[in-house]
Every structure is written in structure tokens, then in C-alpha cells.
Amino acid sequence: MFRESFNHGWTTGPAETSFASAVGGEDDQEVILPHDSVRDLARSATASEGAHTGYFPGGYFHYSKSFDVPEAFRGKSVFIEFEGVYRDAVVYINEEFVAQRPNGYSRFHIKCDPYLRHGQPNSIRVEARAHLDSRWYSGAGIHRDTHLIVGDPVHIALDGVRVTTPQVDDELAVVVVAVTVVNEERFTRTVRVSTTVATDDGTTVAEGTAPLTLLPGTSATARLRLHVPRPALWDVDSPHLHVARTTLTDSEAVDRTVDEEHTTFGIRTLQLDPARGLRINGRPVKLRGACVHHDTGLLGAAAIGRAEERRIEILKAAGFNAVRSAHNPLSVAALDACDRLGMLVLDEAFDAWTKPKRPFDYSLAFPEWWERDVEAMVTKDFNHPSVIMYSIGNEIFEVGSPVGSTWGRRLAEKVRELDDTRYVTNAVNGLVAVPDELPSLVVGSTEGPTDINSLITALGEKINEFSASRLVSERTEESHAVLDVSGINYGDARYVPDALAFPNRLVLGTETFPGHIDELWRLVTENSHVLGDFTWTGWDYLGESGVGRTDYLDDGPKEDMLGGIHDVFPALTAGCGDIDITGHRRPMSYYRETVFGLREQPYIAVHRPEFHGRAMFQTPWSWADAVSSWSWDVEAGSPVTVDVYSSADEVELLLDGVPLERLKVGGHKACIARFESVYRPGELTAVAYRAGVETGRCVLRSAGGELRAAVAADRSEIRADDHDLAYVSVELQDSEGNLASHRDRRVRVEVTGPAVLAGLGTGRTHTEERFDADSCTTFDGRALAVVRPTGPGAIQVRVHAEGCPEATTTVRAVDN
């Protein structure tokens, strides 16, 4: 079928019902999808959504567009595809109701034919709502791609090509291509279904064909069993992809193509057992996992293709080999990137079933819509080799009751009915599973909000002990029994006992505290039935503001932490990601990479010396408030704590070549050598030794003298389409290129040429600066600009930093 982007030509603005206002549109603005209607609204300390959504408000929004429908479309099948509209979407064509979709992350299609006016302009309007329905920043609006799809009455069904690889070895792979064809005509048609399989370099490796007869108003499926010799397999290290080119030809005119579809897939096998864990193509794989929310940082909820791809690139480079989509299905753009880059995916369906977590969340729609939303997720994922597991929920209240477990069984069996080639899990939190037992656990004040995150913080290690208790084991046994893999949130104390109590059970840490990765990874590597670990979180996100914060206290805690751990306005992000919202790797990321055994070079993380010696409050999601810098705005001789992350035996610290101290690694914490020293500008060097032999070194140099704004684009050439972006980094540096993390400045960004400044900001967790502004203040010497092309040509980005010469970079946007 003919398929093209439907992302251009939209306007959006605040919506009102026709009853409230018969006119409107004065505040509408032109936008290119994907788009987030909330990101550019004013944040407020009094916003009803509060810290959950980063103090952004909710709202009621509309998107409108006029589009031509030529006479040639008469007699055709016309569809519009929405990959995600947050939330409670309602679609009208020519002001007639066409469809609705409560779930903000489900892909859906609308059949337009009954509502179209051929040979003239047509209108489409989409309404979306967001209000007290999310525990994190959701954004709102048409935040994922849209497509116009047009085909003949006889056509390959939408998502009608499904590829499986039931038999694979080094010599031969069996590839089964199931093609569903629809006949919307009034008479019987016979077509020929042909598929050619090619490698990613275009080499044809298999082909097959079969006739298919369809009665009027019916659909039928042709299955082509193809054989690929010496297949190039897909896995995390070598993500080889294949393309199945499927064509329909008319049986009476074999040279006439009726329809065509290109389907990307991978040839690989999955195996699972407690003795050998997860195997891909026969090779054991431990999941080095990152939980990720759906927002794209400076772009809000807009899932623009390059933003999704860049995130996967950075996560992969940081040592992760798997992502868990928390707590909603991943976008198609992100799945495509995972396929290309070799990132495994645990795709998650729901954050709530029948019991709400927010007053107006998806639980209101779940009983009626869950089945269609599971179908949408599985259909979207089916041909993506990166997807190895589906999660049916996250921290679901119902899993601790017998009746609740029946919901889990329905969901798991529905997934298996749709796709029996992958595994099913559920992210179970023992604390949430038995909420009736919480009063006996809570000690002290319970005044104020007692949300789950706050309870986890207040209970500390007791949550881990409680998760492994006999009570939780008994109450959740049936819910775990319906799964292929038992997902466990914050309950690693279960890992070893479960091997004895439930010898057939496989375990996955679906959500864990970042600072525990040293012990968690030991449990993963020493136990074959433990498949891996997914940290909360791999990438920082908007909302749940302050979950990973550090507070410096003079006279003890400023609040009863049982009353809520979320920080107060202007807290913006959770602050718990290995990587901040701009894509900059924080020290935790390098520590994790070291623990994984993927990093040989040491890494220096300096605790902010201006806070040295002050009492701290940190949550279980916090990490050291440290920066890899030796440029500080404190007096020379000020005390400072220096951590060096290393897998070696010992680390020696030197300042300007003079040895300061040599320590064994692990005295403070595994893979860390902690030095108590003093700050003096100069060159700080950490040298790692194993068995007395140097294995690597890390050097930090103080920045001094005049500053400049170093500006660099991630790529010099981008595509001039609605999927691409240029990411332009800004760093304050001295003349030798040393980062001046201590001398933050206001920077202004100007974009000229066929592009717009789509976002500007930093990784600062507390700020009132807006992402749609043309200026911001650097954070630890850094800022990031996101540029979106509007056409082909040269795009110039000028950066004006206070006290620095103007800096520029040029990016060229080219047509595909």
C-alpha cells in the first residue's frame, strides 16, 4: 500500500467543546508532528499535577489539518495511522466522529473511506486530554508519528506481513512469511503472493510464491516457507537485518503489481531455562538493562525518530544491552533503532490494571480496552528482532490476590495467543502486592502523602526483606506462575531463595536501585536463573521530580521523608538517571560500566567541594553528587573527596605529577577507591594497577584564563525530513579545551537557514528555564540545542555566551 508521512500541515492549540465555544483557533500554532502540547506551557508550583509531572499542567488540546483527497482515491482503501496520542484521543474527519482511543501509547488506524469528500479538501481534527492521569511527565497530544496509507480494494492487510524463524542453525534458517490479504471488492479475486528475502546489503538469499484466492469481503493468509542458507544472525553484537519484499500480482495480469510491502526482520533464536538462563542463537546473554520513560528530554514527549535513535546509541555506548519501556509500549522509531543497533527490548504494556494509581488514569479504560491495547503492542512489535519479552504490567496492586492473578493469566495468555515466539513477564513489587500489610511495616509519622516511592525510601532495606518474606511469596505465587520470567522490583533478596523454593522459576530484576549495581551484578553473574538487571533509570526523565535528589542539610532532615520524597518547585527531573536528559553520561554511568567489566580505564568523580562535610539526605535512587572535573570555585587547599572508579587492584592519585596517595580498590565500595584530599588547580591523575602493573589512567585538568563556547553538532549532515534532528552541544572551555564546569554562563542560540530551534536546555534538575526559549544557563559548563530541519539547505547555529566570542557551526540538511 502507498504510505507517506502525515506529520506536516497541522495546527494545534487549547481546545474547548462546541457547547462552550462555537468559535476558536485564535491561539493555534502551526506544528510538525510528533509534537507535545504540554512542554511549552508554563510550569507552576501550584499546578494540579504537582511533582508527578514536573509541575507542568494538564490540559485539553486539539490538532487540526486540511488535506486533499483526489478523485483517484475514489474506490481506494484509505487509512490514517496514529502511533500514539496522549490521551483519550477522539478523531473527527470533516467534523464527523470516526474513532477514539483512551490509551496514550497505543498505535491505532482509522478507516477514512466513509467520511471522505473526493476531489476537494478534507479536514481532520484530533482531540487529546491529560489530567491527573500519570505518575510521571506524560506530555499530551500527537506525540508519535502519523501516516496516510492508501491501497486498492485488494491489498495486504495493515500489519499483514508476519515473519518467524522457527528453525535456525549455522547451515540453514527456515523463514516463514505469513501474508494476510484483504478483498474489499464484490467478487472473488485470485492474486499471487511473492516474497523475496534479502540481506541488509541487498543480496537476495531466498524467495517464494503462492496463489491466493479470496472471496468477496474476506481476508486470507498465504504462508511462504522460505530457506536461507548460511544465515547472518541477529544479536546484540552483530545486529544483521533482512528485508522481506512481498508483492501481490494480479492472476489475470501477472505483470501488474496490486500491492507491495517491505518488512524488516532478523533471524535469531531465543531459549530459556534455569540452568543456562537466556540464550540468543545458543549463546548465553545476561541483560544489562536500563529502564527508560518515554519522554525525549528537551523535546518533551515528542518521539521524533532521531531523538529515539540517539538515546539508544548513547545507552548502547554506555554498556547497556537492553531497555525496558517503563511503563508503556515503546515507539516504532525506538524499536527500529534497537533493531539496527543491537539493543534488546522488554516492551511493557501497562502501569495499572483495574486499580488506579492516579485519579483519572488508564485503569478507568482497562476493563474495556486492555485486549485491544495488548493486540496493538504485540502487532507493532512482532517483526522486530530486538523485542525478546513482553511485560504485562508494572507494580500492579492486583498481583497479590487470587482474583487479581486471574487478570494476569488473561493478559499472559492473550500475549501468547498473539505471539508465542517471545516470553512474558510482569514487574512485581512485593510492597505493592500486599498493600493491606503496609500499616504493620510503617513506623513513625504517616502524615502527608504516603506514595509508594516515599514508603520505599522510608523503609530502606526493610522493603527488600519484606519482598523475600513468606507472606509475599504465598500471595504472589500464582501471579508469578502465569509468567515465563518473574520480574521483581526492588526485591533482590528473593533471587537466591527463589532458586530453592521455586526451582523452575526464572528471575529478572525489572527495577533496581542504581547504587546497588555492584551487589546486584554479582547476583546476576553467579546465578544462572537470574537473567539480568534493569536499573531505575538508565536515562533521566521529566517528572517524579527529585526521586534521585541529594539534599545538603545543616540541622538534620528538613522534612519527614515518609510524607513524600518528591522535591519542591522548581524541581523538574527525577534526577536518578545514569544519563541526564541531554544525553550526557553522569558518573553513575561510568561506575556501572566498570562493574559490568566493560571499562578498563579508571574514571575520576569529584564530590562537589563546596558542600564538603555537610550532612546529606539521599534517596535509594540517588548517587554521589559528583562531577568529573578539576575546576572548582573554592579556595585552594579546600578539602575534597575524590572517587576513582576502577576494576583494578589499586589506584594512585597524583596532582601535577606528585603522588598524593595509593589505595586499594573496594575499601569503600566495590570498584571504588575513595581519596580524601585537598583542591588545588592543576592536573589530577588517577593511575590504576593490577598485580602491580599499570592498566590505565584518567587525567583531569583545571580550566583557566579566557573562556570560549565550543560548539559541535552530532553530525554535519542530516536528512531534510520530519524524522531527523541535529544535536548541537555547547561547552565552556579554556584555550586548551579544558571544561570550565565552575563558570556557568548564559548562552543564547540563533538558528538560521531551513530549520528551527526545537529545544534548548541542560541536565539541571532544578530550573525555571523553558525548553522553547532561545537562551539558557549552562550546567556544569554544558548546554544542548536541538535543531529540527524544515527543508534542504545549510543550517547555521550561532551561540552567544556571556563574555565569550561568538561561536558557530553549520549542518547541511539534504533530501532523502
Side-chain angles (χ1 to χ4, degrees):
M1 300 176 77
F2 169 78
R3 181 186 182 92
E4 69 175 11
S5 171
F6 203 58
N7 288 342
H8 291 267
W10 293 85
T11 61
T12 187
E16 287 194 33
T17 66
S18 298
F19 186 83
S21 176
V23 296
E26 294 181 0
D27 297 326
D28 287 3
Q29 59 174 322
E30 295 182 4
V31 295
I32 301 173
L33 305 181
H35 177 262
D36 178 3
S37 285
V38 169
R39 188 204 66 163
D40 298 341
L41 299 181
R43 299 169 64 225
S44 167
T46 59
S48 61
E49 318 296 314
H52 289 283
T53 63
Y55 298 97
F56 283 93
Y60 174 32
F61 311 96
H62 77 93
Y63 288 76
S64 300
K65 172 175 176 168
S66 176
F67 63 106
D68 289 328
V69 178
E71 280 291 344
F73 282 10
R74 194 180 297 275
K76 301 281 189 181
S77 295
V78 181
F79 303 87
I80 296 175
E81 175 183 77
F82 294 90
E83 291 187 8
V85 183
Y86 199 91
R87 186 179 172 275
D88 286 317
V90 182
V91 183
Y92 301 86
I93 291 180
N94 295 322
E95 292 305 319
E96 301 293 343
F97 170 82
V98 179
Q100 70 172 126
R101 195 74 181 208
N103 192 303
Y105 305 99
S106 284
R107 184 177 61 164
F108 63 99
H109 302 89
I110 60 171
K111 199 170 192 315
C112 305
D113 306 336
Y115 312 97
L116 297 179
R117 300 166 182 166
H118 297 87
Q120 57 183 297
N122 287 248
S123 68
I124 183 170
R125 180 166 55 89
V126 180
E127 295 180 351
R129 300 154 176 82
H131 174 62
L132 296 176
D133 55 18
S134 180
R135 298 186 299 112
W136 56 87
Y137 178 85
S138 64
I142 310 177
H143 64 106
R144 292 179 176 174
D145 284 317
T146 60
H147 297 94
L148 176 69
I149 304 169
V150 182
D152 288 336
V154 177
H155 57 263
I156 298 171
L158 296 176
D159 301 310
V161 179
R162 291 194 168 196
V163 183
T164 55
T165 57
Q167 295 174 224
V168 180
D169 58 37
D170 292 340
E171 298 300 318
L172 190 73
V174 175
V175 176
V176 177
V177 183
V179 183
T180 300
V181 182
V182 176
N183 179 14
E184 294 184 341
E185 291 187 335
R186 293 178 296 168
F187 47 86
T188 300
R189 289 285 300 273
T190 298
V191 294
R192 178 163 292 276
V193 181
S194 302
T195 296
T196 298
V197 174
T199 59
D200 46 15
D201 66 1
T203 303
T204 298
V205 292
E207 54 188 347
T209 184
L212 181 67
T213 298
L214 301 110
L215 298 177
T218 66
S219 63
T221 300
R223 295 185 187 275
L224 304 178
R225 188 178 177 90
L226 310 180
H227 303 89
V228 177
R230 295 176 298 281
L233 304 185
W234 187 97
D235 64 26
V236 292
D237 298 321
S238 52
H240 296 292
L241 293 171
H242 290 74
V243 176
R245 179 177 178 269
T246 301
T247 58
L248 300 185
T249 53
D250 195 318
S251 61
E252 297 179 0
V254 293
D255 59 339
R256 189 175 81 85
T257 299
V258 177
D259 201 359
E260 183 173 334
E261 190 78 32
H262 290 196
T263 307
T264 301
F265 70 99
I267 298 174
R268 56 118 177 91
T269 64
L270 299 177
Q271 295 167 287
L272 198 61
D273 63 71
R276 292 165 294 185
L278 172 68
R279 288 178 292 160
I280 299 177
N281 303 324
R283 181 174 66 90
V285 176
K286 292 291 188 178
L287 300 178
R288 304 188 302 268
C291 295
V292 293
H293 266 315
H294 77 287
D295 76 70
T296 51
L298 309 185
L299 300 173
I304 300 171
R306 174 55 187 161
E308 298 284 58
E309 178 184 60
R310 177 176 177 266
R311 173 160 55 181
I312 300 302
E313 287 176 349
I314 293 172
L315 288 168
K316 187 76 184 285
F320 293 108
N321 66 4
V323 293
R324 170 185 172 228
S325 65
H327 307 287
N328 40 71
L330 212 59
S331 72
V332 173
L335 290 176
D336 288 342
C338 290
D339 291 344
R340 291 192 301 270
L341 298 170
M343 182 71 81
L344 302 172
V345 175
L346 190 164
D347 211 9
E348 192 156 81
F350 307 117
D351 187 51
W353 293 351
T354 62
K355 295 184 178 180
K357 294 179 178 177
R358 296 287 283 158
F360 301 104
D361 66 15
Y362 178 75
S363 64
L364 295 170
F366 176 85
E368 180 181 351
W369 283 88
W370 72 268
E371 199 162 7
R372 280 168 283 185
D373 288 327
V374 167
E375 290 170 350
M377 178 181 70
V378 174
T379 299
K380 168 182 65 71
D381 292 1
F382 194 91
N383 292 318
H384 290 278
S386 56
V387 179
I388 60 170
M389 204 175 303
Y390 299 109
S391 171
I392 57 176
N394 170 70
E395 297 185 344
I396 301 297
F397 291 108
E398 292 91 321
V399 299
S401 74
V403 173
S405 68
T406 66
W407 274 110
R409 192 176 302 279
R410 285 181 220 169
L411 284 157
E413 290 306 314
K414 181 63 179 179
V415 170
R416 294 183 182 114
E417 172 192 323
L418 297 168
D419 183 0
D420 62 359
T421 69
R422 277 121 172 160
Y423 305 115
V424 181
T425 189
N426 190 1
V428 175
N429 185 322
L431 191 68
V432 174
V434 289
D436 52 313
E437 297 294 326
L438 293 184
S440 65
L441 288 174
V442 176
V443 178
S445 171
T446 58
E447 296 179 1
T450 54
D451 61 272
I452 292 299
N453 289 341
S454 300
L455 289 173
I456 290 174
T457 298
L459 294 173
E461 281 303 310
K462 287 181 70 175
I463 181 181
N464 204 5
E465 298 168 9
F466 182 68
S467 180
S469 67
R470 180 177 178 180
L471 172 67
V472 171
S473 294
E474 292 175 349
R475 293 274 288 270
T476 62
E477 182 180 4
E478 186 174 0
S479 286
H480 280 297
V482 309
L483 307 171
D484 301 309
V485 177
S486 291
I488 296 177
N489 285 12
Y490 309 113
D492 50 282
R494 294 202 64 91
Y495 293 3
V496 174
D498 273 11
L500 298 175
F502 307 98
N504 295 314
R505 179 178 291 182
L506 291 116
V507 168
L508 178 62
T510 38
E511 198 165 309
T512 62
F513 297 125
H516 292 184
I517 188 57
D518 51 339
E519 178 60 20
L520 291 165
W521 198 243
R522 182 188 65 79
L523 290 170
V524 170
T525 56
E526 291 181 358
N527 295 277
S528 60
H529 73 292
V530 182
L531 305 185
D533 177 89
F534 283 83
T535 188
W536 191 265
T537 57
W539 194 280
D540 204 12
Y541 58 98
L542 306 177
E544 286 195 310
S545 303
V547 165
R549 79 183 194 262
T550 294
D551 282 343
Y552 293 95
L553 313 173
D554 293 323
D555 303 309
K558 291 182 289 187
E559 60 181 324
D560 174 5
M561 293 317 301
L562 196 59
I565 68 165
H566 294 309
D567 214 345
V568 296
F569 184 83
L572 173 64
T573 71
C576 59
D578 278 23
I579 299 164
D580 73 20
I581 60 170
T582 69
H584 174 67
R585 293 179 64 182
R586 302 166 72 200
M588 179 66 225
S589 173
Y590 293 93
Y591 179 70
R592 185 182 309 280
E593 188 181 17
T594 302
V595 171
F596 282 158
L598 302 175
R599 183 180 180 84
E600 189 67 24
Q601 298 299 313
Y603 179 87
I604 301 174
V606 182
H607 295 237
R608 299 182 189 272
E610 62 266 36
F611 299 116
H612 188 272
R614 290 182 59 179
M616 287 192 305
F617 168 79
Q618 292 185 309
T619 79
W621 293 275
S622 302
W623 185 245
D625 185 18
V627 183
S628 187
S629 173
W630 198 238
S631 299
W632 298 101
D633 191 17
V634 296
E635 293 184 4
S638 297
V640 63
T641 300
V642 177
D643 285 343
V644 180
Y645 308 154
S646 176
S647 59
D649 302 328
E650 295 180 303
V651 171
E652 185 175 38
L653 198 64
L654 304 92
L655 183 58
D656 292 332
V658 178
L660 299 178
E661 192 174 5
R662 185 162 171 162
L663 295 176
K664 289 185 179 297
V665 174
H668 165 71
K669 184 179 176 65
C671 295
I672 295 180
R674 172 162 291 180
F675 297 86
E676 294 298 336
S677 188
V678 295
Y679 172 70
R680 290 188 179 86
E683 181 178 273
L684 186 71
T685 303
V687 184
Y689 297 91
R690 182 176 294 114
V693 178
E694 180 179 333
T695 60
R697 60 177 57 206
C698 178
V699 179
L700 298 178
R701 297 180 179 87
S702 302
E706 296 297 320
L707 294 186
R708 65 186 181 94
V711 180
D714 61 337
R715 293 166 300 148
S716 60
E717 186 174 285
I718 62 175
R719 300 184 312 276
D721 61 23
D722 48 32
H723 292 271
D724 214 349
L725 301 163
Y727 281 84
V728 179
S729 63
V730 180
E731 287 193 0
L732 301 179
Q733 298 178 355
D734 66 10
S735 60
E736 296 181 357
N738 299 310
L739 178 68
S741 60
H742 62 317
R743 297 172 66 181
D744 284 321
R745 303 289 176 88
R746 191 79 177 171
V747 298
R748 182 171 60 85
V749 177
E750 179 184 356
V751 176
T752 57
V756 295
L757 180 63
L760 176 66
T762 71
R764 184 176 280 108
T765 59
H766 294 65
T767 181
E768 293 188 61
E769 295 180 335
R770 299 169 60 102
F771 295 141
D772 62 336
D774 65 355
S775 65
C776 72
T777 304
T778 60
F779 176 61
D780 289 336
R782 295 184 176 89
L784 182 74
V786 187
V787 176
R788 192 172 194 184
T790 56
I795 301 165
Q796 190 170 66
V797 182
R798 294 186 177 88
V799 176
H800 311 267
E802 292 176 348
C804 300
E806 178 184 283
T808 65
T809 190
T810 300
V811 176
R812 180 164 294 279
V814 298
D815 285 325
N816 292 338

